[in-house]
Amino acid sequence: MEKRAQNRFGRVAWLMAMLALLLLLATTALAQDAPTAPAAPSAATLTLGVATTPAGGQNFRLTAASFQTSWGRAGKQPGQFRQPRDVAVDAAGTLYVSDHRNSRIQKFSPAGAVLGQIGTQGKAAGKLLRPNAIAIYNDLIIITDTDNHRISVFNTNGTFVRQWGSFGTGNGQFNLPMGVAVDTAGNVYVTDTWNHRIQVFTIQGVYQRQWGTLGNGDGQFRFPAHLDFGPGGSLFVADSNNHRVQVFDANGTFQRKFGLPGPAAGRLWLPVGIDVTGDGYVYVSDTYNYRLQKFTTNGDYVAQWNETAGANPIGRPNGLLSVGNLVYATDIDSNRVQIYAQGTVTVNAGATQALTLPAGAYNVTQTPKAGWTFGSATCTGGNPTTIANGVRLSLADGAAVSCTFASNQ
């Protein structure tokens, strides 16, 4: 009797131990799935300057870029992704990620907590089928509902509002639309990707106009992808299979272009994502060169980066969003949102400028400048090591590091 009781007690104790282990494993799995918030901006200061021979060189651009963290992994659970395609932010700082093959939009707090999702898979009104780009206008989220060949609109709280479009080539019809952007007046610009054109609608979905045909001439497209408005209302379009960015006014009049096919700095290979900032920079996801590139709005190359070492390589970057000194990039191959800290200064010889950045390991590079050759960089702290066109160094919380780049003519 006593022995049977001891056996029962032993079995109960074993079961309790197994339940505790399973609970621990489940907690660990949830912790792995939960996105990690980007590092809060710290008091770390990086001061950058240039010395030139001969003296007096002007307008050198220096850029610091660092991988910070990533959100998500492959899966269907909250905080997991299957080929995420775009990321956007509303006025409250809530982040929205188009979870393409899960046919939903996921919402995250600024700190990275999962807040819920918008949409479920299907073809009926209020459903999504492989959504792509996202634009926020007031309390509306406008989505290219790509495989449904339409635009779907929800409130940011997830309530379905309206939709428009159907498969076809007529006015207001689409063939796999990818990109969407909204101007300050509420006009919706859509890259009708497989029809090689841009269409414009009111926020209610009323067709207004279009431009573009298949080709590689100015104002023509070959599978245009994402688009974004820049200073003065100029519209920047990632013309993916022409390996370039085209710039238009709001009426569709061609203004300029930049980018040529290839792997060299400033060249592009199937660019998809694009984000234009108010301080005069354009970020491009150079998808099949597996990197992000930074340009001026005039198309001048500034910098590039990619975390290729360790556990955080970027595969095929897609959608882009810059918020302050952070850049968010959706990565199709790793099923994650990759987050980078970065900043650029423009200095003359003998002058310096400071960047306040989160802690991290930074590549600090000088943009190639016609007539000048970069020689070396001398830094006070940060354990610098030499890389192409600059140095790699570490910034710790509270650190103050200075680097002077020497250039010769």
Side-chain angles (χ1 to χ4, degrees):
M1 185 76 170
E2 182 179 347
K3 187 174 181 180
R4 286 197 300 270
Q6 287 176 345
N7 289 338
R8 283 197 301 271
F9 176 79
R11 286 195 296 271
V12 170
W14 180 83
L15 286 171
M16 292 296 290
M18 289 301 296
L19 286 172
L21 177 61
L22 289 171
L23 180 60
L24 175 62
L25 290 173
T27 303
T28 303
L30 287 172
Q32 290 172 342
D33 290 342
T36 303
S42 68
T45 302
L46 178 61
T47 301
L48 300 174
V50 172
T52 62
T53 304
Q58 303 285 304
N59 297 323
F60 290 84
R61 287 196 181 93
L62 307 174
T63 298
S66 167
F67 171 80
Q68 291 288 296
T69 190
S70 63
W71 296 353
R73 64 178 185 178
K76 300 180 180 180
Q77 299 303 311
Q80 297 177 339
F81 303 109
R82 295 174 66 214
Q83 295 192 355
R85 293 299 177 96
D86 199 17
V87 57
V89 65
D90 67 17
T94 301
L95 293 156
Y96 302 80
V97 179
S98 60
D99 190 3
H100 180 70
R101 293 185 69 88
N102 282 326
S103 295
R104 64 185 178 183
I105 308 296
Q106 293 201 68
K107 297 174 62 175
F108 299 89
S109 75
V114 180
L115 300 179
Q117 75 174 48
I118 295 172
T120 56
Q121 182 171 321
K123 297 184 178 182
K127 302 284 187 177
L128 298 172
L129 196 58
R130 297 188 177 181
N132 207 299
I134 303 168
I136 308 293
Y137 181 73
N138 296 332
D139 65 343
L140 298 177
I141 176 168
I142 299 98
I143 304 161
T144 51
D145 191 1
T146 301
D147 280 23
N148 278 326
H149 309 286
R150 67 190 182 196
I151 298 297
S152 291
V153 182
F154 295 79
N155 285 326
T156 51
N157 64 11
T159 303
F160 175 70
V161 176
R162 68 180 70 94
Q163 66 186 37
W164 68 84
S166 60
F167 177 76
T169 59
N171 295 344
Q173 293 185 312
F174 301 108
N175 188 351
L176 297 173
M178 283 185 62
V180 62
V182 185
D183 68 15
T184 56
N187 298 301
V188 180
Y189 291 69
V190 182
T191 52
D192 187 6
T193 302
W194 284 66
N195 283 327
H196 312 286
R197 64 184 179 183
I198 292 173
Q199 296 197 67
V200 186
F201 304 85
T202 69
I203 198 68
Q204 302 295 328
V206 178
Y207 171 83
Q208 293 183 302
R209 61 186 178 277
Q210 63 174 284
W211 73 87
T213 56
L214 175 61
N216 58 13
D218 294 346
Q220 293 185 308
F221 301 107
R222 195 176 296 275
F223 302 100
H226 292 190
L227 69 172
D228 194 24
F229 283 98
S234 294
L235 185 66
F236 291 70
V237 182
D239 188 7
S240 65
N241 280 43
N242 280 324
H243 314 291
R244 65 186 181 184
V245 173
Q246 293 199 73
V247 186
F248 303 86
D249 68 15
N251 293 315
T253 301
F254 174 82
Q255 294 182 329
R256 60 187 179 277
K257 62 188 176 187
F258 58 90
L260 292 168
R267 292 187 173 234
L268 301 168
W269 197 256
L270 290 171
V272 173
I274 192 164
D275 188 80
V276 189
T277 63
D279 59 352
Y281 293 108
V282 183
Y283 299 89
V284 179
S285 60
D286 189 6
T287 303
Y288 278 89
N289 280 322
Y290 311 105
R291 64 187 177 187
L292 306 181
Q293 293 205 68
K294 183 175 184 177
F295 300 85
T296 69
T297 51
N298 288 325
D300 298 326
Y301 169 80
V302 175
Q304 61 177 293
W305 58 87
N306 182 4
E307 181 70 16
T308 57
N312 301 294
I314 194 166
R316 287 182 291 161
N318 207 78
L320 285 176
L321 172 69
S322 60
V323 180
N325 60 13
L326 296 178
V327 174
Y328 298 76
T330 58
D331 184 357
I332 292 175
D333 284 350
S334 69
N335 295 294
R336 297 183 293 201
V337 177
Q338 307 275 58
I339 304 172
Y340 299 85
Q342 58 80 44
T344 297
V345 298
T346 302
V347 294
N348 297 331
T352 62
Q353 285 193 45
L355 291 168
T356 300
L357 296 165
Y362 282 83
N363 287 348
V364 187
T365 55
Q366 177 180 300
T367 306
K369 186 172 175 62
W372 295 88
T373 301
F374 166 69
S376 62
T378 303
C379 302
T380 61
N383 299 314
T385 57
T386 300
I387 61 173
N389 297 313
V391 292
R392 184 170 176 84
L393 55 81
S394 296
L395 280 182
D397 285 334
V401 176
S402 297
C403 291
T404 299
F405 282 63
S407 293
N408 307 296
Q409 200 169 52

